[in-house]
Amino acid sequence: MELNQLTIHELKEKLRSGATTAEEITASSFARIEAVEKDVHAYITLMKETAFAEAKRADEAIKKGEGGLLAGIPIALKDIACTKGTLTTCGSRMLSNFVPPYDAAVIEKLREAGAVFTGKTNMDEFAMGSSTETSFYGTSRNPWDLERIPGGSSGGSAAAVAADECIAAIGSDTGGSIRQPAALCGIVGMKPTYGRVSRYGLIAFASSLDQIGPFTKDVEDCALMMNVLSGYDRRDSTSADQEVPDYRQFLGKGIAGWKVGIPKEYFVGGLDPEVEEAVRGAIKTIEEAGAQCVEVSLPHTEYCLAVYYIVAPAEASSNLARYDGVKYGFRFPEGRDLLDMYKKTRSAGFGNEVKRRIMIGTYALSSGYYDAYYKKASQVRSLIKRDFDEAFKTCDALLTPTTPTPAFRIGEKTDDPMQMYLSDLFTISTNLAGIPGISVPCGYSASGLPIGVQFLAGHFQEGRLLQIASEYEKHAQIEKRRPNL
Amino acid sequence: MNFEPVIGLEVHAQLLTDTKIFCDCSTKFGAEPNSHTCPVCLGMPGVLPVLNKKVVDFLLKMAMATNCKINRESSFARKNYFYPDLPKGYQISQYAEPPVEHGWIDIETEGGKKRIGITRIHMEEDAGKLIHDENSPASYVDLNRTGVPLIEIVGDPDLRSAEEAAAYLRRIHEILVYLEICDGNMEEGSFRCDANISLRPVGQKEFGTRTELKNMNSFRNVQRALEYEIKRQQYLLESGGVVVQETRLWDDAAGVTKSMRSKEEAHDYRYFPEPDLVPIVVDDEWQDEIRRAMPELPLEKRERFSSEYQLSAYDAGVLTQSRALADYFEEVARLSGQPKAAANWVMGDILRFLNDEKKTVGECPVSPANLAAMIRLIQEGTISGKMAKDISEAMYKTGGTPEEIIKEKGLVQITDGDALAATLSAILAKNPGQVAQYQSGKEKLFGFFVGQAMKATGGKANPQMLNDLLKKMLAKH
Ligand SMILES: [Zn+2]
């Protein structure tokens, strides 16, 4: 096995024993990038030069018996997290020249932990999309089938991990943007509780839904990454001032006697038979591991998509108002007057999906429609939250499919936004409720495409999520395939 | 037909916090453009606002001073619009859930005290400033002011004349300055006012169509603009016209209000709850903390000065025009034990010196202790009132104590009876004619002898002693 194919915990072991160095690991990752990146297109910006400097520092620290939790581990960063001195585009022409003078909070934490940054990964423009096809920089490809999408909006990060172009990555999840691509690329992806990870420096899509989380090759790595990313940050008012447990302590604890809810609303029309079969298999595995699976109801599930497509565009329409060509980023070179410059800049700077959502959001917030749309959506959102609160009164966790289908073909849904929006059907409710969710591989389709299963838990129960996910991973023994690249 | 104006004022007050409302940047006025900025107040991608707790402290002070109800929980909202001085494309303000509402203040009107309602007070961030190049078609943006904390005080439409509006505005201004939460500077824009005004036939309940007045940057402007607008609307209504709901700008030079383009008014701010800030919770403990720190307000102080020091309403008014002046006076009164004399000296010489140099009482070189010491010296008869005039001026110039100045100028009164008697004998001897005239009944000449004696002693003679002695000696002759 090449170094770049290993997990964080395997590499940590090798680094500690002196069997390898951070520089070797970094070189291995960049060799892989050179070999496959032209096919996968996971990255927008590579950070090779700084990566080797970071690796060198990590090696020195390790030699002295120091170094953080991720010392010397190559990590890829979704291009939505601001990196001081490194281009941060958010997948948009609008920010195609934007170099932030600050690091996002998670970047600081990763730096402190000694991570080696491989680069900034491709994404749907401003995280709007489910396929990475809306990126100004072109679509990324699914390493399992280059004709297919890797999922979105963090498709670049998921593809980079699946293709071994890095060891782990971070993404952001507004309606499923970590879990959906994780499922479609056959890796682990977690969206933490809203407020668990600081959003400072994360370029906002929908502020009340956005959350940063990790992509990893297994559940143990996910726990490790969560240890690094989590924690209170005074620069984010919505960040939770709550103690962060060592998430590794939940691994291997077992789930005997657990009650796991299976929401019946998630097993209806639109669910691909192969996905359903794989997820039914996961239910069986969980029962074999000692948990009791029971059917539960989340009665407001049918409204999730509608509520999401009011709330998210509404917040986005406001969050994206700052891109006006005045202070930074792209500016259209001509304009008769101020208004004309605004219009031309925003017309040329944003892609179609972003414009579509800005228009939906502007409409939903406009006077005369606010009550019917935004306000109503907010009210239904609290009902959706309440559904989960009720479910977690009797269940330790919930189990659902992550996506309705395996990865679809590039271009297949680009002309039909509604079809595209349906790919996040099972992940959106988590963001509306603010609870944590994790997607873990649970099998392959007949054509060899990965399928994921999703576990959900109550607020700040990431530990329990990792507990059940690791138990599932252990018992399921999903065949370890690698994409044929 | 008789018409009655209905006026409501909206006041924007810039708060005197050291740092901005959502970041740690300085709020100091007059710095290099864009030097007091950071990614947060520049609205750069990904950064988030963090509420400055001090702003809430200041708001609570104003709420208590205006008898407002303080809501336990309130929230921020986004007011969305595009303008180059607004870096985020929205202003963080408060909309649906105000932190503070339903208050009142009393104003003095011709008909006596009148209570004016306060609808609500809320917090918001200021925008930046555009600087237009006069020589080229270019504009520059200075964002030093973005994120400077403001409170908006929205008054009920209880005002019925331009005078009442001006009185209300002065009261609000006075309270803000007294609380030391706003410098009240209208020229620099730290105290701004918009007015809503409509007319209705006397006796009618419903309001007429209103206009909004902006661009009034002095108390006088506000009153003039309202007076103009009342006349304008009255003329319109009386001549069968209609008032158009619009925003009008006060043109100070022309002395008229002018319509702003209506296009700029077609705003839909698309307010919605600010998702980046959690609700503000003001618990009892926080309120108590502020209540304990509340200063005495001008109206209460005025009433106390009248009763405690037996000052006239006028004097009490002058001495409480600023908190610093009131504190200065009280210190002089306490140290001298003579409030009436303290009031006279502070209102007389001290304020005159300060006004001449356009200084505030905070910059006064005469310390309360020195002024009090001087008042005591007059009381003890060590110096005369006339000498004191010179001493106070010297104290103002040098900052020295009265004792130092008296010593330096040799100003102590002559209270030595023998010395005075000798001086007087010499004067009487020199002027036998006047003595004879006085003794034959021309009593006016008494003043002549006093003047001569004062001249001879360089004004240092104790006047009372001099009078007594002179009377006796003239009688003897
Ligand atoms: Zn700032």
Side-chain angles (χ1 to χ4, degrees):
Chain A
M1 274 253 245
E2 302 289 333
L3 288 170
N4 63 311
Q5 297 181 327
L6 300 178
T7 61
I8 300 175
H9 54 93
E10 285 164 347
L11 288 169
K12 277 174 74 75
E13 191 50 49
K14 281 191 186 297
L15 282 166
R16 197 175 48 197
S17 68
T20 189
T21 65
E23 275 194 272
E24 281 170 9
I25 300 169
T26 306
S28 163
S29 289
F30 275 99
R32 177 67 173 172
I33 290 170
E34 249 154 63
V36 304
E37 179 57 11
K38 62 182 189 311
D39 295 327
V40 180
H41 187 36
Y43 289 93
I44 292 174
T45 305
L46 288 171
M47 298 165 74
K48 192 169 177 180
E49 213 169 289
T50 47
F52 278 98
E54 283 155 3
K56 210 168 186 174
R57 267 202 299 280
D59 278 330
E60 281 160 18
I62 292 165
K63 229 181 272 166
K64 283 189 240 162
E66 294 164 5
L69 267 177
L70 297 176
I73 307 295
I75 306 280
L77 309 167
K78 185 177 183 177
D79 207 20
I80 197 169
C82 287
T83 38
K84 189 174 177 172
T86 298
L87 186 69
T88 302
T89 71
C90 218
S92 181
R93 182 183 191 190
M94 197 58 104
L95 289 176
S96 50
N97 60 2
F98 179 62
V99 178
Y102 46 92
D103 272 332
V106 289
I107 302 296
E108 287 174 353
K109 283 182 179 260
L110 289 167
R111 276 194 208 284
E112 234 171 85
V116 170
F117 298 142
T118 52
K120 307 295 292 286
T121 60
N122 198 14
M123 57 181 284
D124 281 301
E125 184 180 6
F126 283 104
M128 297 177 195
S130 308
S131 64
T132 318
E133 290 167 289
T134 71
S135 170
F136 174 65
Y137 298 91
T139 185
S140 296
R141 288 159 188 275
N142 192 313
W144 296 89
D145 178 349
L146 294 174
E147 298 306 307
R148 292 176 187 266
I149 57 101
S153 63
S154 316
S157 286
V161 174
D164 298 315
E165 292 182 80
C166 60
I167 308 303
I170 61 158
S172 69
D173 189 316
T174 306
S177 288
I178 290 175
R179 291 157 291 153
Q180 184 252 21
L184 302 189
C185 289
I187 57 173
V188 175
M190 179 186 253
K191 181 206 96 79
T193 308
Y194 185 76
R196 177 87 286 184
V197 177
S198 170
R199 290 185 296 117
Y200 180 85
L202 170 78
I203 297 178
F205 161 14
S207 311
S208 75
L209 303 162
D210 295 342
Q211 189 60 197
I212 297 169
F215 286 101
T216 55
K217 295 179 184 180
D218 66 8
V219 176
E220 185 174 343
D221 278 8
C222 184
L224 259 162
M225 287 287 279
M226 281 301 294
N227 278 352
V228 173
L229 299 176
S230 304
Y232 175 68
D233 178 9
R234 70 165 288 274
R235 293 167 300 180
D236 175 0
S237 308
T238 63
S239 141
D241 195 359
Q242 280 205 29
E243 208 193 323
V244 180
D246 178 357
Y247 289 113
R248 285 172 301 188
Q249 78 189 43
F250 294 92
L251 306 171
K253 269 176 125 179
I255 52 168
W258 275 37
K259 212 170 181 186
V260 176
I262 314 296
K264 63 176 183 197
E265 290 82 3
Y266 284 64
F267 290 85
V268 288
L271 184 57
D272 179 279
E274 284 187 303
V275 172
E276 176 157 9
E277 197 193 320
V279 176
R280 296 267 178 219
I283 295 172
K284 213 173 279 162
T285 306
I286 286 297
E287 282 176 331
E288 283 160 17
Q292 182 202 352
C293 290
V294 291
E295 188 181 89
V296 293
S297 174
L298 301 170
H300 296 92
T301 300
E302 62 172 307
Y303 303 112
C304 287
L305 210 60
V307 167
Y308 179 83
Y309 279 98
I310 298 293
V311 174
E315 292 184 7
S317 71
S318 173
N319 283 332
L320 270 56
R322 69 192 65 201
Y323 308 111
D324 57 7
V326 173
K327 303 164 297 292
Y328 49 76
F330 169 78
R331 179 194 288 187
F332 196 80
E334 297 150 34
R336 274 190 318 278
D337 52 26
L338 179 65
L339 190 64
D340 196 43
M341 189 277 279
Y342 280 162
K343 284 180 176 173
K344 290 197 163 105
T345 294
R346 289 170 68 82
S347 292
F350 289 137
N352 286 340
E353 184 59 28
V354 170
K355 285 180 197 161
R356 185 180 294 127
R357 297 204 198 186
I358 288 174
M359 284 191 278
I360 294 171
T362 303
Y363 183 80
L365 288 176
S366 59
S367 75
Y369 298 98
Y370 179 87
D371 284 356
Y373 294 105
Y374 186 84
K375 197 173 165 199
K376 183 64 83 187
S378 301
Q379 286 163 345
V380 179
R381 186 175 175 181
S382 9
L383 296 177
I384 293 164
K385 264 186 211 163
R386 212 165 61 194
D387 282 357
F388 280 108
D389 291 343
E390 285 301 312
F392 290 123
K393 274 184 191 159
T394 54
C395 297
D396 297 285
L398 302 180
L399 184 159
T400 81
T402 310
T403 60
T405 65
F408 46 90
R409 286 178 194 285
I410 290 168
E412 193 180 326
K413 298 185 179 180
T414 39
D415 294 334
D416 189 346
M418 269 315 286
Q419 275 306 308
M420 187 72 89
Y421 296 169
L422 285 170
S423 0
D424 295 334
L425 193 60
F426 302 138
T427 46
I428 277 173
S429 57
T430 318
N431 301 75
L432 292 172
I435 58 171
I438 189 170
S439 178
V440 185
C442 72
Y444 301 91
S445 71
S447 58
L449 293 170
I451 296 168
V453 61
Q454 175 177 241
F455 297 103
L456 306 175
H459 291 99
F460 300 101
Q461 299 296 315
E462 284 84 357
R464 296 177 74 78
L465 267 191
L466 290 161
Q467 192 171 338
I468 188 170
S470 68
E471 206 57 24
Y472 170 72
E473 187 181 57
K474 192 170 91 189
H475 279 82
Q477 289 295 326
I478 302 296
E479 184 193 346
K480 280 260 187 264
R481 301 186 199 169
R482 301 204 95 83
N484 190 16
L485 272 170
Chain B
M1 202 184 292
N2 275 332
F3 288 99
E4 171 187 58
V6 176
I7 303 168
L9 297 187
E10 289 170 14
V11 173
H12 278 95
Q14 181 177 319
L15 298 182
L16 280 173
T17 54
D18 295 333
T19 56
K20 294 185 179 181
I21 182 167
F22 298 125
C23 66
D24 294 331
C25 289
S26 167
T27 53
K28 254 210 179 78
F29 186 81
E32 275 282 292
N34 297 308
S35 59
H36 289 171
T37 58
C38 70
V40 174
C41 57
L42 292 177
M44 295 193 85
V47 295
L48 300 166
V50 176
L51 177 61
N52 178 354
K53 190 171 165 282
K54 210 66 205 215
V55 175
V56 187
D57 288 349
F58 283 14
L59 167 85
L60 293 177
K61 282 189 179 174
M62 192 56 186
M64 287 174 190
T66 53
N67 310 291
C68 280
K69 173 177 167 265
I70 294 166
N71 294 326
R72 193 184 143 78
E73 202 172 306
S74 68
S75 59
F76 282 100
R78 288 189 188 175
K79 181 179 178 178
N80 295 283
Y81 65 96
F82 283 98
Y83 205 66
D85 69 1
L86 192 69
K88 298 188 289 295
Y90 55 83
Q91 179 195 26
I92 303 179
S93 181
Q94 297 192 285
Y95 185 61
E97 299 174 289
V100 151
E101 56 189 333
H102 307 311
W104 50 263
I105 58 165
D106 286 334
I107 59 165
E108 297 292 338
T109 69
E110 280 173 17
K113 247 187 199 175
K114 183 173 173 184
R115 185 153 289 186
I116 308 297
I118 297 201
T119 318
R120 58 183 280 165
I121 310 178
H122 65 252
M123 300 173 273
E124 60 187 31
E125 57 178 343
D126 207 347
K129 197 172 84 180
L130 290 187
I131 302 161
H132 303 288
D133 190 331
E134 281 171 21
N135 303 313
S136 72
S139 296
Y140 303 94
V141 195
D142 176 8
L143 296 175
N144 278 348
R145 220 171 63 187
T146 41
V148 164
L150 304 176
I151 52 173
E152 182 173 352
I153 304 154
V154 182
D156 290 345
D158 290 345
L159 303 161
R160 292 291 171 270
S161 68
E163 295 76 38
E164 283 187 17
Y168 167 83
L169 203 58
R170 280 180 212 281
R171 279 287 291 138
I172 293 285
H173 185 267
E174 181 181 66
I175 295 170
L176 285 165
V177 173
Y178 243 78
L179 292 171
E180 293 173 345
I181 62 174
C182 171
D183 68 14
N185 190 326
M186 278 181 105
E187 283 79 35
E188 283 173 14
S190 43
F191 183 84
R192 289 170 256 169
C193 167
D194 299 335
N196 287 306
I197 171 165
S198 63
L199 259 55
R200 66 181 172 192
V202 172
Q204 180 183 301
K205 266 211 141 108
E206 299 79 42
F207 294 164
T209 307
R210 68 186 164 84
T211 58
E212 192 185 0
L213 303 187
K214 285 182 184 289
N215 203 33
M216 304 169 291
N217 59 3
S218 72
F219 292 111
R220 193 169 146 269
N221 275 177
V222 173
Q223 190 160 345
R224 285 177 70 205
L226 284 167
E227 275 163 2
Y228 177 88
E229 189 61 16
I230 290 167
K231 282 201 192 114
R232 190 189 70 89
Q233 290 192 13
Q234 186 163 7
Y235 174 79
L236 265 177
L237 293 171
E238 279 172 350
S239 58
V242 285
V243 175
V244 183
Q245 185 171 337
E246 62 181 351
T247 300
R248 299 179 68 85
L249 295 179
W250 171 246
D251 181 336
D252 192 32
V256 297
T257 63
K258 286 180 177 165
S259 179
M260 253 170 87
R261 278 186 303 137
S262 57
K263 203 178 145 196
E264 294 190 25
E265 266 203 281
H267 270 314
D268 178 357
Y269 289 120
R270 290 174 285 116
Y271 283 101
F272 76 104
E274 164 59 274
D276 287 331
L277 287 163
V278 290
I280 308 150
V281 179
V282 178
D283 55 17
D284 294 345
E285 203 181 315
W286 193 349
Q287 284 195 44
D288 289 345
E289 193 186 302
I290 299 296
R291 197 164 284 121
R292 279 195 299 272
M294 280 291 279
E296 187 178 31
L297 293 168
L299 213 58
E300 301 162 17
K301 211 182 258 294
R302 226 159 277 161
E303 280 162 12
R304 181 170 65 80
F305 276 21
S306 291
S307 60
E308 193 174 328
Y309 304 122
Q310 272 86 52
L311 300 179
S312 71
Y314 175 80
D315 289 359
V318 172
L319 290 171
T320 53
Q321 63 187 228
S322 82
R323 207 167 129 185
L325 183 65
D327 289 348
Y328 184 91
F329 156 72
E330 284 213 272
E331 186 69 355
V332 177
R334 186 178 69 79
L335 293 171
S336 67
Q338 298 176 72
K340 190 69 204 164
N344 288 339
W345 279 101
V346 171
M347 285 171 31
D349 287 28
I350 297 295
L351 276 186
R352 187 162 45 82
F353 296 150
L354 290 171
N355 287 343
D356 284 351
E357 296 189 8
K358 298 212 172 348
K359 279 186 172 163
T360 67
V361 71
E363 301 162 300
C364 183
V366 182
S367 72
N370 286 349
L371 186 61
M374 190 191 81
I375 292 169
R376 278 201 314 269
L377 290 172
I378 304 169
Q379 166 81 4
E380 288 160 5
T382 310
I383 54 172
S384 67
K386 192 175 167 298
M387 286 175 185
K389 285 264 171 205
D390 296 339
I391 294 169
S392 70
E393 202 171 334
M395 288 199 296
Y396 189 83
K397 278 195 189 122
T398 65
T401 67
E403 289 84 0
E404 280 165 4
I405 288 155
I406 287 165
K407 203 170 160 197
E408 206 172 285
K409 297 198 168 189
L411 277 177
V412 179
Q413 285 194 102
I414 300 168
T415 49
D416 176 346
D418 293 345
L420 262 185
T423 308
L424 282 174
S425 296
I427 289 166
L428 296 183
K430 229 195 262 173
N431 299 288
Q434 279 85 347
V435 172
Q437 280 181 40
Y438 176 86
Q439 282 167 340
S440 66
K442 205 173 177 191
E443 289 185 7
K444 269 207 229 124
L445 278 170
F446 191 79
F448 164 77
F449 296 117
V450 171
Q452 292 290 312
M454 278 297 183
K455 205 168 155 192
T457 59
K460 290 183 210 162
N462 180 310
Q464 195 57 51
M465 207 175 217
L466 178 70
N467 277 7
D468 294 348
L469 208 57
L470 184 60
K471 252 179 210 154
K472 264 187 231 156
M473 289 171 75
L474 281 168
K476 257 194 250 167
H477 260 272

